[in-house]
Amino acid sequence: MIERRANLSYEEFAAEYLWPNKPVIVTDAIRDWKALGRWSPEFFKREFGEMKFTIVEDLKSKIGYKDNEGGVAYTMAQFVERVLDSSDENPAPYFRNRILYDIFPSLRDDIEPLPEYFLPNWLPDRYLVKRVGEVLNRGAAIEIYIGGKGGSFPVLHYDGAAVHAFLMQVYGRKKFVLYSPEQEAYLYPAPEKENLSRVNSVDQPDFERFPLFRKAVPTTFILEPGELLFIPSHWWHTTKMLTPSISISVNVVNQSNWHRLVDFVSMRRRNRFASLASRAYLTIAGTWRAWRDRRWKKRAGKGSSWSKAKSKSSLGIEQ
Ligand SMILES: O=C(O)CCC(=O)C(=O)O
């Protein structure tokens, strides 16, 4: 069972969900977004009908779930037609993990104000180690997803680098299936990409190949338009659309999940020295940011919001 909350203050969110690493749906967090009521498949056809892109239709065979390169060419108008005709038997491909501000910069204002729950976020920070900065900064990008009935996210996974995810359902209904981190032993993480499951499908799993998956207990629910879902760090998840659907996602790292990020990154370094070096660097980087956050909060005054704390910071852009 997932809790649905309304009128959830930042402090309540942090104490009851962020720090305990527990999912929640907030029903009124994005109620002022212009996107609600404005965005629909028809809106994208009308406003961006000529836009050209490609989509990889069958990602099941590919393990890299963010892989959008190559595939079938569409205009937005053609794609929207596919979305509107989509069915369980013949689902439209999924336009997903596209960077909203890059491809639809004019839509920036439609998703304002961004909920306070997204702060503090260490992903857009500057990092001394260039490669770390590149990976984390890319992770900070707000992403958009457009799909049709019967379409699904191609793989059961948790988000890379163990970031938290916020999923905002702007249009249509989407089914989510979640598994807590404790159930990892039943989820068959891929040896080469530990955050992706090898289980072929959560709806029709091949129990011959994945017998332990019988023991996995899913949390299943439908995200309705206007709702925000918090998927905490290392929670496994996948989705299926019940209607044409448009969603937005935001990833977040801060003190609450940095230790999981450190584990994730150092676990992936096969070389023991590189693994220890990453752990040491990231631990220092996290300790410094935790201290900086506390200083911002203190300066802004007790009870002030994170956005106020950040804007009052004398450090300006994050270090
Ligand atoms: O909204 C969806 O279909 C799932 C998105 C997701 O899990 C992801 O991008 O990591």
Side-chain angles (χ1 to χ4, degrees):
M1 246 285 283
I2 185 154
E3 290 169 20
R4 274 192 157 76
R5 299 286 300 266
N7 216 358
L8 183 71
S9 70
Y10 183 87
E11 287 67 31
E12 288 167 333
F13 168 71
E16 296 175 45
Y17 304 103
L18 179 71
W19 286 93
N21 215 49
K22 181 176 162 190
V24 65
I25 292 174
V26 186
T27 55
D28 56 356
I30 58 165
R31 65 174 165 230
D32 294 328
W33 281 14
K34 279 202 230 94
L36 298 177
R38 183 167 190 240
W39 294 9
S40 64
E42 293 82 359
F43 166 83
F44 279 86
K45 182 173 174 184
R46 206 169 49 240
E47 298 290 321
F48 307 102
E50 308 280 291
M51 176 184 279
K52 292 193 171 76
F53 51 85
T54 58
I55 304 194
V56 177
E57 305 250 348
D58 175 24
L59 263 186
K60 292 253 188 273
S61 55
K62 289 200 167 203
I63 200 81
Y65 80 92
K66 293 237 172 182
D67 204 344
N68 272 319
E69 298 305 313
V72 179
Y74 280 93
T75 63
M76 182 57 86
Q78 289 164 338
F79 175 68
V80 167
E81 287 308 316
R82 273 290 272 126
V83 164
L84 296 175
D85 276 351
S86 183
S87 63
D88 288 333
E89 298 71 36
N90 184 20
Y94 198 5
F95 181 90
R96 61 179 180 82
N97 299 107
R98 311 282 171 137
I99 300 179
L100 180 76
Y101 296 159
D102 281 358
I103 37 179
F104 305 114
S106 60
L107 300 185
R108 185 181 277 263
D109 291 350
D110 287 7
I111 60 160
E112 293 285 339
L114 294 176
E116 189 81 11
Y117 310 139
F118 302 168
L119 295 173
N121 194 358
W122 298 355
L123 289 174
D125 281 7
R126 273 202 234 136
Y127 289 85
L128 284 177
V129 177
K130 201 163 160 250
R131 181 76 194 125
V132 171
E134 279 165 9
V135 172
L136 298 189
N137 294 172
R138 165 62 182 89
I142 296 179
E143 294 178 338
I144 182 166
Y145 306 68
I146 306 176
K149 178 176 159 61
S152 54
F153 200 83
V155 64
L156 175 64
H157 68 286
Y158 68 88
D159 286 6
V163 295
H164 295 308
F166 291 88
L167 276 300
M168 281 61 68
Q169 188 64 13
V170 175
Y171 182 92
R173 307 175 75 223
K174 191 181 266 183
K175 184 176 103 174
F176 279 81
V177 184
L178 268 56
Y179 299 87
S180 64
E182 293 71 41
Q183 303 195 52
E184 187 158 295
Y186 313 135
L187 303 182
Y188 297 88
E192 70 281 24
K193 289 214 168 156
E194 297 84 350
N195 61 317
L196 308 182
S197 167
R198 286 163 48 228
V199 174
N200 57 315
S201 154
V202 293
D203 293 333
Q204 288 165 323
D206 180 346
F207 287 126
E208 296 268 296
R209 283 175 65 208
F210 308 109
L212 292 176
F213 191 61
R214 279 185 202 283
K215 296 193 183 175
V217 182
T219 304
T220 303
F221 54 87
I222 294 164
L223 196 66
E224 304 284 349
E227 292 187 328
L228 169 150
L229 166 66
F230 170 57
I231 305 183
S233 178
H234 214 121
W235 274 71
W236 295 78
H237 55 280
T238 193
T239 64
K240 180 163 190 163
M241 284 158 280
L242 306 182
T243 67
S245 163
I246 306 174
S247 331
I248 291 290
S249 75
V250 169
N251 287 124
V252 169
V253 170
N254 55 37
Q255 199 187 350
S256 65
N257 57 338
W258 189 254
H259 60 290
R260 290 177 191 268
L261 178 141
V262 176
D263 286 346
F264 183 91
V265 174
S266 31
M267 168 180 87
R268 286 206 160 188
R269 311 302 297 264
R270 303 293 172 211
N271 174 303
R272 208 172 122 71
F273 177 74
S275 172
L276 279 173
S278 305
R279 185 170 285 280
Y281 165 65
L282 290 170
T283 303
I284 294 167
T287 308
W288 185 82
R289 281 174 177 76
W291 172 83
R292 179 198 63 185
D293 285 357
R294 279 196 298 277
R295 207 168 71 140
W296 281 356
K297 265 285 198 201
K298 210 163 143 200
R299 285 199 181 166
K302 206 169 178 294
S304 55
S305 67
W306 272 110
S307 7
K308 191 167 163 213
K310 255 191 99 167
S311 65
K312 283 192 122 189
S313 140
S314 63
L315 293 172
I317 185 148
E318 301 91 312
Q319 301 296 301

